[in-house]
Amino acid sequence: MDRLNHTWPQSFILTGFGAPGPVRPLAFLATLSVYVLTLASNSFIIVLVQVDAGLSTPMYFFLGVLSFLEVWYVSATVPTLLLTWLRRCPPIPAAGCFLQLYALHSLGMTECSLLAVMALDRHLAICRPLHYPALMSRKAQLGLAGAAWVAGFSAALVPAGLMAALPFCRKQVAHYFCDLAPLMRLACVDTGWHARVHRVVIGMINTCNFVLILGLYGGVLRAVLKLPSAASRAKAFSTCTSHVTVVALFFGSAFVVYVGLPGSQAEGTDKCIALVYTLLTPFLNPIIYTLRNKEVKVAVRRVIRKIRAILKGP
């Protein structure tokens, strides 16, 4: 690896995946297709929640916020992944590298908090149905969503700031985007203390939100089991299963990469796991939330009828 001065380098080099040449164009097309579909599906949910009055409830407000976040989250890493498929070991400016690191972690920790807010919404809707409209007013919705964004972008300053202050002796990042562990391997100094701080900060955010989600859904489970009819229980469960699936995908992969013991993963495994939370989860979220959701399907039909009526004219 190239040696550098013990300061910020002018640029880093992303090594990406070591796929053979004939596979790379196919991988590029597959990644680009998933990326475009992810942007389109999440944008569709944002527009649908805004234009259809039937989806003007707290649950769909938070779903719209999540989709808005996913558009930015997937755009923080996938462009450099596409670049590594097109060109072996492309350079990335140092400032762009640290900006990508900050964007990824700020958006990721925002999503952790937002998933906890969505769990709180379901808990109040099922466990406190009579007080739900007052507890989850429009002001409360905006406050909770804003708090999730502020918490995520504030907490991410710690890992990003510590990384930017490190002196670097090497520049080849063994990843397809700038992340904590690959960058720490390039430092000229011992980064054991930095790694512990990163695990504490990110682990605390993940663990607190995950425990909160488990506690909220524990209350939901107790309330649902007390419902008199099987139909009522099935309907209540159906509003939560999509969210639980998304939580499992996101938190599972994040815990393995950022909270797991250092050195516990085989080389290259972190890149494969990263594909789950940087590409697969944002792609699957709209599908998971809408595939079995009757309200969304009805809203889509309403919007389609409105569009047809507009196109036909008076």
Side-chain angles (χ1 to χ4, degrees):
M1 294 185 187
D2 295 338
R3 291 278 172 177
L4 301 171
N5 293 330
H6 292 192
T7 57
W8 262 29
Q10 291 184 346
S11 64
F12 291 101
I13 295 174
L14 300 173
T15 61
F17 288 97
V23 175
R24 302 181 79 83
L26 296 175
F28 172 82
L29 291 175
T31 304
L32 180 62
S33 299
V34 173
Y35 180 47
V36 171
L37 288 172
T38 301
L39 294 180
S41 56
N42 280 287
S43 299
F44 175 74
I45 288 179
I46 296 169
V47 173
L48 188 65
V49 170
Q50 291 296 316
V51 302
D52 189 83
L55 300 183
S56 58
T57 63
M59 183 176 75
Y60 292 108
F61 168 78
F62 292 124
L63 178 57
V65 174
L66 178 64
S67 293
F68 177 75
L69 187 149
E70 295 287 30
V71 168
W72 290 100
Y73 188 68
V74 74
S75 298
T77 57
V78 174
T80 52
L81 173 58
L82 291 170
L83 188 60
T84 60
W85 289 131
L86 282 177
R87 180 182 174 187
R88 288 183 181 272
C89 299
I92 178 173
C97 184
F98 292 116
L99 180 61
Q100 183 183 53
L101 175 71
Y102 176 68
L104 173 73
H105 285 276
S106 58
L107 292 167
M109 286 191 270
T110 298
E111 183 160 347
C112 289
S113 300
L114 188 58
L115 290 173
V117 169
M118 295 173 75
L120 174 63
D121 172 69
R122 291 298 84 209
H123 176 87
L124 294 176
I126 293 172
C127 300
R128 304 281 299 276
L130 297 179
H131 301 92
Y132 177 64
L135 292 172
M136 199 56 72
S137 63
R138 189 66 175 180
K139 184 178 180 180
Q141 295 170 43
L142 294 171
L144 288 168
W149 283 85
V150 170
F153 277 74
S154 300
L157 288 171
V158 175
L162 289 176
M163 289 304 303
L166 283 175
F168 293 95
C169 294
R170 299 174 175 86
K171 65 178 181 178
Q172 288 190 353
V173 182
H175 215 303
Y176 60 87
F177 62 88
C178 294
D179 204 1
L180 292 172
L183 283 174
M184 282 192 292
R185 298 187 194 111
L186 312 182
C188 306
V189 296
D190 177 46
T191 58
W193 178 81
H194 296 76
R196 287 191 292 273
V197 172
H198 296 155
R199 282 199 299 275
V200 167
V201 173
I202 298 173
M204 183 175 62
I205 297 280
N206 276 280
T207 302
C208 289
N209 282 299
F210 188 64
V211 169
L212 177 60
I213 290 171
L214 289 179
L216 291 169
Y217 274 114
V220 169
L221 181 62
R222 288 193 298 271
V224 169
L225 292 177
K226 293 178 182 178
L227 293 175
S229 67
S232 300
R233 290 193 294 271
K235 183 178 179 181
F237 275 127
S238 68
T239 65
C240 301
T241 51
S242 299
H243 185 249
V244 171
T245 304
V246 170
V247 167
L249 278 172
F250 184 84
F251 278 91
S253 55
F255 268 114
V256 171
V257 173
Y258 296 110
V259 190
L261 294 175
S264 61
Q265 304 164 31
E267 185 177 356
T269 304
D270 56 344
K271 288 183 282 188
C272 296
I273 297 174
L275 284 175
V276 175
Y277 61 86
T278 61
L279 185 62
L280 184 62
T281 302
F283 171 68
L284 291 178
N285 280 358
I287 300 173
I288 292 171
Y289 277 113
T290 60
L291 192 61
R292 297 177 58 189
N293 193 309
K294 293 180 180 179
E295 290 180 328
V296 172
K297 292 178 181 178
V298 171
V300 170
R301 287 195 289 268
R302 282 197 298 264
V303 171
I304 291 174
R305 284 197 297 268
K306 289 179 182 178
I307 294 173
R308 286 176 178 174
I310 294 172
L311 293 175
K312 287 180 180 179

